Amino acid sequence: MPALHDTRRSLLIAGAGDTGSRLAALAAANGFDALALRRRDVAMGPGIRALRADLRSGEGFAAIPKRLDALVFCAAPDERTEAAYRALYRDGLRRLLDRSEIGRVLFVSSTAVYAEDAGATVDEDTPADATAFNGRVLLEAERELDAHPDAAAFRASGIYGPGRERMWNRARRDEPGEPRWTNRIHVEDVAGALLHLLQPPRIARVYCGNDDAPTLEHEVVDGLRARLGLPALGAADGPTTGKRVSNARLRGSGWQPRYPTWREGYATPPA
């Protein structure tokens, strides 16, 4: 435990997987007392205290401090079912909020809360009217923040980065990309944005986490194919679908992405 004279702000990162571990390292380097909560024992980097607890059941919660300066909830479910989502996101977040007195709370949600699929631009003021279970459950979890005076939902678009090779694998297939708007944010930019939102004295209630360049899927596929030495395939037949996520509010808060478009984020094909 920190010494009694330690004035560092305490930050609990609930769900210290890829994103959470990166945030923990950034937070520790920026003067936070970083506590990384995971369901399994995993060695963490310097300056990070590991806690073992289960967000779904509450097992191990006795080790969580009763007072925290900040909480970032960025856990991911083990399975893609409505029950698993609800047990982790809604119930797990509620359990943490009930357990401790917490200053700032950031909940990593998703742009899946928007049902838009005709190519329009969405932002924080767009009605969140998801019909798929994942978006609906994330909205239930976001509503757990309503009673907290200093909390925000961070609605991340498609997170990519090292070890996440879905789009590279998609580009290797000899199938044209869809005329569908896609949105993404590099995992390092997610961690950086969350650290950024822990700093200001006041924050908004919702932020959309996206890079600067919503892009049609077929343009990304052909761009990655070029980097793989493969010929362009153009767009598959069909109407334009998807949504374009605006990051204007997050940008306006002073955040700047390290990877402003997919071109920087996908600069080098994976080995």
Side-chain angles (χ1 to χ4, degrees):
M1 296 294 290
L4 291 178
H5 64 273
D6 194 338
T7 58
R8 293 178 300 165
R9 287 192 291 163
S10 57
L11 167 64
L12 177 66
I13 299 164
D18 186 21
T19 302
S21 296
R22 292 173 187 272
L23 172 59
L26 283 176
N30 281 271
F32 282 87
D33 176 24
L35 295 84
L37 186 153
R38 292 181 60 119
R39 193 152 51 92
R40 301 178 182 87
D41 288 325
V42 177
M44 303 300 294
I48 304 168
R49 291 192 287 153
L51 296 179
R52 182 178 178 181
D54 191 331
L55 291 165
R56 301 169 306 172
S57 67
E59 180 185 356
F61 269 39
I64 298 173
K66 286 287 191 179
R67 297 174 66 92
L68 293 162
D69 292 305
L71 162 68
V72 175
F73 191 104
C74 54
D78 290 334
E79 56 185 89
R80 191 177 173 82
T81 66
E82 185 165 353
Y85 268 61
R86 187 165 283 113
L88 178 66
Y89 289 121
R90 187 197 65 185
D91 299 344
L93 178 60
R94 178 188 299 162
R95 191 172 283 114
L96 276 178
L97 295 176
D98 289 344
R99 157 74 190 179
S100 301
E101 180 183 333
I102 306 171
R104 177 156 300 171
V105 177
L106 301 177
F107 172 68
V108 179
S109 184
S110 168
T111 55
V113 300
Y114 301 109
E116 170 58 39
D117 195 36
T121 297
V122 300
D123 62 16
E124 294 83 359
D125 295 322
T126 302
D129 51 2
T131 56
F133 81 82
N134 57 329
R136 289 188 287 101
V137 173
L138 286 167
L139 285 171
E140 291 177 18
E142 288 187 17
R143 285 193 283 271
E144 294 295 324
L145 304 177
D146 288 349
H148 196 287
D150 188 13
F154 182 85
R155 294 173 177 170
S157 60
I159 301 175
Y160 74 105
R164 303 172 189 240
E165 300 180 8
R166 186 184 69 83
M167 282 303 298
W168 287 110
N169 294 334
R170 174 72 180 82
R172 289 186 177 96
R173 302 202 305 265
D174 287 328
E175 301 173 6
E178 300 293 331
R180 176 175 65 243
W181 287 101
T182 62
N183 304 271
R184 59 192 51 79
I185 183 169
H186 196 281
V187 64
E188 291 183 14
D189 285 330
V190 176
L194 293 170
L195 180 68
H196 167 76
L197 291 174
L198 290 172
Q199 312 294 344
R202 293 183 181 84
I203 55 174
R205 300 296 289 189
V206 179
Y207 291 90
C208 288
N210 196 53
D211 69 15
D212 294 341
T215 310
L216 291 166
E217 182 192 80
H218 69 86
E219 294 179 0
V220 180
V221 168
D222 281 348
L224 298 189
R225 285 179 63 83
R227 293 175 185 190
L228 293 166
L230 300 171
L233 298 173
D237 294 334
T240 300
T241 60
K243 55 182 174 283
R244 287 174 276 184
V245 178
S246 169
N247 68 5
R249 177 175 291 176
L250 187 58
R251 272 285 203 172
S253 73
W255 171 79
Q256 296 183 16
R258 180 177 177 182
Y259 301 95
T261 78
W262 64 269
R263 293 174 180 84
E264 294 82 17
Y266 288 113
T268 305

